[in-house]
């Protein structure tokens, strides 16, 4: 039986989307067109989080901070209790 894993690349991409969102949102207060890339980055993050960053066994969503911790330390899902593993 093949074990199910969370894609590590998607976790890194979610962090990039959040960094772009924060930078563009702050620049948007000075130059309003930067709100458009901020909205696109937030939409990308929400899509990645909704589609990929969840427990592969029960489908429970985990927050980004907890998943980042689980990528480097043994951690279990809050819903089903199984070990969260990442595909590197």
């Amino acid at each position: 039986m093949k074990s199910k894993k969370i894609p590590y690349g998607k976790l890194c991409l979610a962090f990039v989307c959040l960094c772009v969102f924060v930078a563009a949102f702050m620049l948007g207060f000075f130059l309003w067109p930067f709100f458009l890339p901020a909205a696109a980055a937030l939409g990308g993050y929400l899509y990645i989080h909704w589609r990929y960053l969840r427990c592969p066994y029960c489908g429970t969503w985990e927050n980004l901070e907890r998943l980042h911790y689980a990528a480097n330390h043994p951690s279990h899902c809050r819903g089903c209790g199984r070990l969260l593993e990442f595909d590197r």
Side-chain angles (χ1 to χ4, degrees):
M1 179 175 152
K2 184 179 178 186
S3 68
K4 300 177 182 179
K5 296 184 179 184
I6 300 170
Y8 184 74
K10 300 293 182 183
L11 180 66
C12 294
L13 188 59
F15 270 113
V16 169
C17 284
L18 281 183
C19 290
V20 168
F21 168 72
V22 169
F25 188 76
M26 293 187 71
L27 285 173
F29 285 113
F30 301 108
L31 300 169
W32 70 267
F34 280 102
F35 280 123
L36 298 174
L42 182 62
Y45 166 74
L46 290 175
Y47 177 75
I48 292 168
H49 187 73
W50 181 70
R51 178 88 167 101
Y52 298 105
L53 301 182
R54 53 173 47 194
C55 175
Y57 300 103
C58 66
T60 303
W61 280 295
E62 296 286 345
N63 65 12
L64 197 59
E65 179 185 5
R66 184 163 163 77
L67 285 175
H68 179 65
Y69 180 82
N72 300 315
H73 300 88
S75 186
H76 298 275
C77 173
R78 293 182 189 191
C80 64
R82 293 190 180 182
L83 184 66
L84 294 174
E85 296 177 354
F86 288 84
D87 182 24
R88 294 200 178 231

